[in-house]
Amino acid sequence: MEHLDIHIAYQRLAYEELAEADRALVDRAKEATFTSYAPYSRFSVGAAALLDTGETVCGSNQENAATPNGICAERTALSYIGAAYPQSAVKTLAIAARDSSGQFTERPIPPCGMCRQVLAETEQRHDTTMRVLLYGTSGTYVIEGVSSLLPFSFDGTFL
Ligand code: THU
């Protein structure tokens, strides 16, 4: 029998401690929360992706009265990038959210499981590593690759 461990490394930085480019991307994710369509949950999420071209593409959650038809901010951004910039890798993805009171969440906002799977595919598609910035007013988690968010991920190598 083997007992194995997975170690996940991440940094927690105050907003002011973020590198300038990361702070700018977090700002874009925060701005993107204002384009959210979330009449049901009142939880507004924004995602901002920095492409290897230097461009930034944003997305926000778009809900639907038929609940499963809603889509998260991260997948809105990544699906658009896949369609409009198929050759571009995402270098960094920042995520921010505002709660039903309109305030940015205190805790860094983590992507849901379905989005993690899509983040993993986006990395693999371009054979790259995507940094992920999870913003909260108490601090931002800086994660240096999706494998830290989704260990044991299912991917195309199994097919
Ligand atoms: N949501 C996102 O957009 N991203 C996440 O990572 C977590 C959840 C959205 C989905 C739904 O519109 C709302 O937040 C509440 O779950």
Side-chain angles (χ1 to χ4, degrees):
M1 186 198 294
E2 288 180 285
H3 289 281
L4 306 172
D5 268 321
I6 292 177
H7 177 75
I8 294 174
Y10 64 102
Q11 293 175 300
R12 183 168 175 271
L13 282 79
Y15 176 78
E16 300 73 28
E17 293 177 310
L18 289 167
E20 201 178 323
D22 286 348
R23 207 178 324 132
L25 199 64
V26 163
D27 287 344
R28 294 291 301 272
K30 291 172 75 176
E31 279 169 34
T33 65
F34 291 94
T35 69
S36 158
Y37 176 67
Y40 304 104
S41 71
R42 306 261 170 216
F43 192 74
S44 302
V45 186
L50 176 66
L51 306 185
D52 56 4
T53 58
E55 287 167 276
T56 299
V57 175
C58 296
S60 55
N61 57 328
Q62 303 294 318
E63 296 186 347
N64 193 285
T67 306
N69 295 337
I71 183 167
C72 293
E74 298 89 326
R75 278 177 292 132
T76 303
L78 294 179
S79 297
Y80 179 67
I81 291 164
Y85 304 85
Q87 309 304 332
S88 298
V90 178
K91 291 181 73 171
T92 311
L93 180 74
I95 308 166
R98 288 182 300 111
D99 62 23
S100 56
S101 68
Q103 302 301 307
F104 284 102
T105 58
E106 186 188 346
R107 291 187 294 165
I109 169 79
C112 77
M114 196 183 278
C115 286
R116 290 176 199 216
Q117 185 71 28
V118 173
L119 264 62
E121 184 85 24
T122 304
E123 264 194 343
Q124 207 193 27
R125 174 174 175 169
H126 295 289
D127 194 21
T128 186
T129 299
M130 188 195 307
R131 299 172 63 247
V132 185
L133 312 177
L134 309 181
Y135 173 77
T137 57
S138 63
T140 298
Y141 292 160
V142 178
I143 298 162
E144 296 293 340
V146 177
S147 62
S148 292
L149 283 170
L150 191 64
F152 296 115
S153 64
F154 178 74
D155 63 35
T157 63
F158 291 99
L159 297 176

